[in-house]
Amino acid sequence: MKNTEFKVTSLLEEYKRRDEERREFIIHEGCTAIEEIIKEVNQRGSLNEADIYYGIPKPQLSFSDVELGYMLTSMMEYATNHVGNPVDEECELENKLAYFEYKDEIVQIFEVYGQGTDSWFLKPSDDTVYKLYNTAYGVYLNQFDDFINYTINKENESKKVSSSPTILNDITGRYTVGRGSK
């Protein structure tokens, strides 16, 4: 039993550590990262983690493929939770899209599902940009600054929770059990 408890605890601690790393990167490097992403997308047309290893020419980024993954995942989660996601009807695979604006530039995230998930940043078409600015489709346009502020707020909430003592309540509410008690 203790071995199982240790594995679950280790897994949860690892998840928490990665989540903290992701938020720290976004909060402290997010604006620089999105500027570099937009620059590369404008030059290349798209950008994903594999481009860092196999791209010709190599992208000029000040961050790693893991950190690019943090941006892709976090931005897509934010869009999904705040405005929902349109889909590309022409794509045969299940997919979803997200759009972010930063300093009058728009970047699109395209995520597809098949025998796994793959996602990448790309430059939206002129038609899509027109729809985002001039039609009801614009509801899907996220402001990158709002995403950063949301991440900062989540970090502040996390710090408040972790600084308070952890007490688990019994379902019946008859007594409380401190962390690590049996």
Side-chain angles (χ1 to χ4, degrees):
M1 182 71 170
K2 286 188 181 250
N3 193 19
T4 303
E5 289 175 10
F6 177 73
K7 286 180 183 177
V8 170
T9 301
S10 295
L11 183 66
L12 291 173
E13 287 173 356
E14 178 65 17
Y15 176 79
K16 182 180 176 185
R17 184 186 63 75
R18 281 194 316 247
D19 192 47
E20 288 171 359
E21 285 176 0
R22 179 178 53 90
R23 283 195 309 258
E24 286 296 315
F25 174 76
I26 291 167
I27 291 167
H28 298 293
E29 305 296 329
C31 290
T32 301
I34 196 68
E35 287 175 357
E36 293 177 19
I37 289 166
I38 290 170
K39 180 182 174 201
E40 287 295 324
V41 165
N42 285 339
Q43 290 175 357
R44 305 168 82 81
S46 68
L47 179 67
N48 71 4
E49 294 137 297
D51 291 325
I52 292 175
Y53 289 110
Y54 309 113
I56 299 174
K58 295 257 186 235
Q60 299 299 305
L61 303 171
S62 64
F63 51 90
S64 71
D65 62 317
V66 171
E67 292 163 329
L68 182 65
Y70 290 163
M71 294 291 286
L72 281 164
T73 302
S74 300
M75 291 170 71
M76 184 57 84
E77 286 175 1
Y78 175 84
T80 300
N81 293 332
H82 287 82
V83 298
N85 303 93
V87 297
D88 182 344
E89 298 290 340
E90 295 176 15
C91 182
E92 294 178 12
L93 298 172
E94 184 179 343
N95 67 79
K96 62 183 178 181
L97 304 168
Y99 302 96
F100 282 84
E101 182 176 33
Y102 182 71
K103 294 185 178 178
D104 297 325
E105 292 273 354
I106 296 177
V107 68
Q108 176 179 325
I109 301 172
F110 190 77
E111 190 168 87
V112 293
Y113 312 96
Q115 292 182 337
T117 302
D118 196 12
S119 56
W120 58 91
F121 290 101
L122 64 122
K123 186 175 175 92
S125 69
D126 290 340
D127 183 49
T128 299
V129 171
Y130 176 83
K131 286 181 191 177
L132 288 168
Y133 283 132
N134 298 301
T135 71
Y137 197 72
V139 71
Y140 295 115
L141 184 59
N142 295 283
Q143 297 300 313
F144 187 77
D145 292 333
D146 292 343
F147 164 67
I148 294 291
N149 289 333
Y150 172 80
T151 306
I152 290 169
N153 290 338
K154 292 302 271 183
E155 178 70 9
N156 290 338
E157 287 174 22
S158 175
K159 286 180 181 176
K160 285 179 188 175
V161 169
S162 66
S163 66
S164 65
T166 304
I167 297 177
L168 303 173
N169 288 321
D170 181 9
I171 291 175
T172 63
R174 289 181 289 159
Y175 59 90
T176 61
V177 179
R179 175 183 270 170
S181 299
K182 293 183 182 181

